Amino acid sequence: MRTVVIDGPRSIRVEHRPDPALPGPDGAIVAVTAAAICGSDLHFYEGDYPFADAVALGHEAIGTVVAAGSELRRIKVGDSVLVSSVAGCGACPGCATRDPVLCYSGLKIFGSGALGGAQADLLAVPAADFQLLKIPEGITTEQALLLTDNLATGWAAAQRADIPYGGTVAVIGLGAVGLCALRSAYLQGAAQVFAVDRVDGRRQRAAHWGATPIAAPAAEAILAATGGRGVDAVIDAVATDASLTDALNAVRPGGTVSVVGVHDLQPFPLPALSCLIRSITLRMTTAPVQRTWPELIPLLTSGRLEVDGIFTTTLPLAEAARGYATAESRTGEHVKILLTP
């Protein structure tokens, strides 16, 4: 099979490897029909994370089950499925909450070394009854891919932001996760959302969906727009030192900063005294992907939640290197890259 691998900063290639074996009687093999490049994949691409051996990339995929273990009960050969980017054992009390982050054995993420990469022809999926979901009728390819990670992450970020009905929210970073968080914030009660990004094209994309665009850094402008008080909640979908500082400065006393951006490996100089005095709540999370599906799927199929316009570019798997270079450009024209094996 073919799989996208990286062996150094900006060194992407499509490599031929042996087809994966069935990962036990509770596992499955998925023939990938569509995969996506996530913003967190760029941490490998840009050299933020060290790795000794080539890494098979990708954790967002949908496809067709071509092999299924004997112990599977919900998933069978021939099913069109989406794959949770975050994997758990599927059998422990933590996974019983449908949140793989709480897995007693520790969560695993596809395309990070522990499991195979989803930007490939085939993907081995352990505990497939837990990791896979048969794609419901009425869910499009792009919606299904977003349900594997970005939409689940944006939705959870908004849930953990303690948004009051009629409240104000700032979303920092208008990539796919930030745009999903923006739409989620509105559905969860926000009356006004400030859309923060350095790229004008991305701010204008958010403005098209009703948000108030502000160039980053945004704390000063947000304080001015809120009479010096700050917003009720900030969702940081970037998590650089600069964006985290901006978030903490833009939130009101007693407000919440919800972080789903992926920070680098360097310590962040948290202004703990200021957060203490202002009674700031800081939450950080990896997406509880499986737990979000019963909430998100009815919203998508009913039309209450729209995610059109987040995928902007489609390329064949063979052009993965071009896809990564496009994603790294972080322009207003190119937001989310879809790869087709």
Side-chain angles (χ1 to χ4, degrees):
M1 70 166 190
R2 298 169 303 160
T3 187
V4 176
V5 301
I6 185 167
D7 56 13
R10 295 175 179 82
S11 180
I12 295 284
R13 69 178 186 274
V14 178
E15 183 176 280
H16 287 269
R17 291 187 174 185
D19 292 352
L22 194 68
D26 66 345
I29 302 294
V30 174
V32 177
T33 54
I37 297 175
C38 181
S40 58
D41 291 328
L42 294 180
H43 283 283
F44 289 102
Y45 186 73
E46 294 172 337
D48 294 334
Y49 296 156
F51 49 93
D53 300 316
V55 175
L57 290 172
H59 53 263
E60 302 175 354
I62 65 172
T64 302
V65 176
V66 294
S70 60
E71 294 181 2
L72 293 185
R73 297 293 177 264
R74 292 193 308 104
I75 300 298
K76 64 182 184 300
V77 171
D79 284 347
S80 295
V81 295
L82 56 88
V83 186
S84 170
S85 58
V86 186
C89 73
C92 70
C95 289
T97 69
R98 298 188 59 80
D99 183 352
V101 177
L102 304 181
C103 179
Y104 281 26
S105 300
L107 66 84
K108 294 179 181 178
I109 299 175
F110 288 95
S112 60
L115 298 172
Q119 294 163 11
D121 290 317
L122 297 169
L123 180 65
V125 181
D129 273 338
F130 182 65
Q131 258 71 256
L132 301 181
L133 179 71
K134 187 174 179 179
I135 298 175
E137 185 176 349
I139 293 295
T140 68
T141 292
E142 294 184 356
Q143 289 172 336
L145 276 172
L146 290 172
L147 283 166
T148 68
D149 180 5
N150 289 172
L151 183 55
T153 300
W155 182 256
Q159 286 182 321
R160 293 171 63 83
D162 301 325
I163 301 169
Y165 288 107
T168 54
V169 178
V171 176
I172 300 177
L174 302 175
V177 170
L179 292 175
C180 288
L182 184 153
R183 297 189 179 192
S184 299
Y186 278 123
L187 271 182
Q188 294 180 36
Q192 183 177 23
V193 178
F194 296 98
V196 181
D197 201 284
R198 296 183 181 276
V199 179
D200 179 67
R202 296 193 172 198
R203 296 196 300 270
Q204 296 312 310
R205 188 180 294 272
H208 177 73
W209 296 326
T212 302
I214 297 181
E220 184 176 342
I222 288 172
L223 291 172
T226 57
R229 181 170 180 263
V231 289
D232 296 305
V234 180
I235 297 170
D236 186 352
V238 182
T240 61
D241 285 4
S243 69
L244 289 166
T245 300
D246 207 25
L248 293 170
N249 289 336
V251 73
R252 67 164 171 81
T256 298
V257 174
S258 175
V259 181
V260 287
V262 180
H263 196 261
D264 60 26
L265 297 179
Q266 300 304 311
F268 170 64
L270 177 71
L273 179 59
S274 173
C275 293
L276 173 73
I277 292 171
R278 297 169 58 226
S279 193
I280 302 302
T281 297
L282 175 63
R283 291 199 173 106
M284 311 180 81
T285 188
T286 299
V289 179
Q290 290 88 325
R291 182 183 61 73
T292 69
W293 289 339
E295 299 168 344
L296 289 170
I297 288 169
L299 291 171
L300 289 168
T301 56
S302 68
R304 289 284 312 284
L305 177 59
E306 296 182 3
V307 291
D308 296 341
I310 291 176
F311 278 96
T312 56
T313 309
T314 298
L315 295 170
L317 187 72
E319 296 186 31
R322 177 184 165 197
Y324 271 85
T326 300
E328 188 190 26
S329 70
R330 295 180 174 90
T331 66
E333 179 184 0
H334 302 290
V335 177
K336 184 76 174 170
I337 314 297
L338 188 151
L339 299 175
T340 55

